Amino acid sequence: MSDKLNETRRFLAQHHGGNGAKAAAKTVSTHERNHDTDFWAFWRTHVPAADSLNIADLGCGPALFLKELADQHPDYRLTGIEIAPYMLASIEAKPDNLEIRVSDLNAPGDMVFPHHSLDACLANMLIHELFQPVMLFRALRHWLRPGGVLILTDMVRQPLDTFLQHKFPDTDFANAELDAPEMNDCFRDYFEHNRYSAEDISNLLTLCGFEVLELQLLRQGRATRIAARNP
Ligand SMILES: C[S@@+](CC[C@H](N)C(=O)[O-])C[C@H]1O[C@@H](n2cnc3c(N)ncnc32)[C@H](O)[C@@H]1O
């Protein structure tokens, strides 16, 4: 196992709260909210169904999205990329047309997929967990066929006070007794989940050569959903 891969795994173990099984279970429990009817409408607008598509889910977690897609489209070729051992362990039984690969998406290189081989990719709640997304965006330009589409959903920057009020509802910050380690964790969590604005992500995609097709703000502006095309 390379040092870089282990460094990413150590970061993710901490980012996911230090309890991998719990983090995997949470990803399962939030799957429906993250892939609701609005998500599927957005997906189908930008990735129209076809007889056979080659699709990847980047940071696929327990791979529930890909399993749903496999059910709907047994002819699709589906690949999940994941690095966290507890997420990989949660995948369990796979349909025949689903393959899972272990790769570090911080520095994926061009070789994870052949040149221009993918029709579409999903990156759902992945980008904020990367040290930087530039190397992935550049690799995607290589993997996606011309006209191929990236669908990206992620948390985006929100004001610190509203984040604190959401984390500690009904807390009087002026007078209540507060716990310093809990506050330390909360601030680390804030900076790890509020790295980019929606505009930052959109502009980075453009900088890396993508054409942004659509940008939605979700959850009162706390998240974004973007479709971007490899020209
Ligand atoms: C918040 S979870 C979302 C999982 C899944 N996309 C979903 O929506 O249910 C982010 C996933 O990305 C994976 N991930 C984060 N950084 C990664 C990296 N550098 N390489 C590969 N996977 C990564 C995490 O392990 C985790 O499973």
Side-chain angles (χ1 to χ4, degrees):
M1 202 66 46
S2 80
D3 285 353
K4 287 278 170 223
L5 196 134
N6 277 329
E7 184 192 344
T8 299
R9 284 184 161 170
R10 274 194 300 275
F11 166 77
L12 287 173
Q14 186 191 50
H15 178 78
H16 292 151
N19 181 335
K22 196 170 159 197
K26 186 172 172 213
T27 308
V28 170
S29 71
T30 53
H31 171 76
E32 263 189 49
R33 185 183 69 174
N34 287 331
H35 302 82
D36 60 6
T37 47
D38 289 346
F39 165 83
W40 281 107
F42 192 86
W43 174 267
R44 291 195 181 104
T45 299
H46 296 288
V47 187
D51 283 347
S52 170
L53 292 180
N54 193 358
I55 289 176
D57 186 1
L58 309 168
C60 65
L64 298 182
F65 166 73
L66 290 174
K67 287 182 183 180
E68 247 178 285
L69 213 53
D71 258 2
Q72 297 164 17
H73 302 283
D75 294 337
Y76 283 11
R77 269 171 52 211
L78 304 168
T79 309
I81 304 290
E82 183 48 65
I83 193 170
Y86 39 90
M87 294 294 180
L88 290 162
S90 73
I91 294 175
E92 296 173 352
K94 285 191 289 95
D96 289 345
N97 57 341
L98 169 57
E99 184 192 340
I100 302 294
R101 295 188 199 157
V102 177
S103 176
D104 185 352
L105 294 168
N106 285 304
D110 286 345
M111 303 311 290
V112 180
F113 294 100
H115 188 55
H116 288 175
S117 61
L118 293 174
D119 296 292
C121 279
L122 176 68
N124 195 61
M125 302 295 169
L126 165 77
I127 299 305
H128 76 271
E129 294 194 354
L130 298 179
F131 300 142
Q132 46 67 35
V134 170
M135 302 310 285
L136 175 62
F137 290 166
R138 284 166 52 103
L140 278 166
R141 297 279 325 283
H142 179 77
W143 302 335
L144 283 166
R145 65 166 170 78
V149 170
L150 166 67
I151 304 291
L152 181 163
T153 305
D154 222 305
M155 304 306 295
V156 290
R157 220 175 280 149
Q158 62 175 302
L160 178 58
D161 58 333
T162 57
F163 178 86
L164 285 174
Q165 279 157 355
H166 180 74
K167 282 275 179 183
F168 300 97
D170 308 322
T171 295
D172 173 358
F173 279 84
N175 299 304
E177 271 201 33
L178 299 174
D179 179 52
E182 197 178 11
M183 203 49 70
N184 296 349
D185 284 350
C186 175
F187 270 68
R188 198 193 59 233
D189 198 43
Y190 175 77
F191 289 111
E192 288 180 4
H193 285 90
N194 289 268
R195 290 158 68 92
Y196 311 110
S197 66
E199 204 185 14
D200 282 338
I201 299 177
S202 170
N203 290 346
L204 258 185
L205 284 164
T206 307
L207 211 60
C208 293
F210 277 93
E211 177 193 348
V212 173
L213 301 172
E214 187 176 355
L215 183 155
Q216 295 180 343
L217 289 177
L218 315 173
R219 303 189 205 167
Q220 289 89 43
R222 290 184 288 117
T224 191
R225 184 182 286 142
I226 297 174
R229 179 176 171 275
N230 188 24

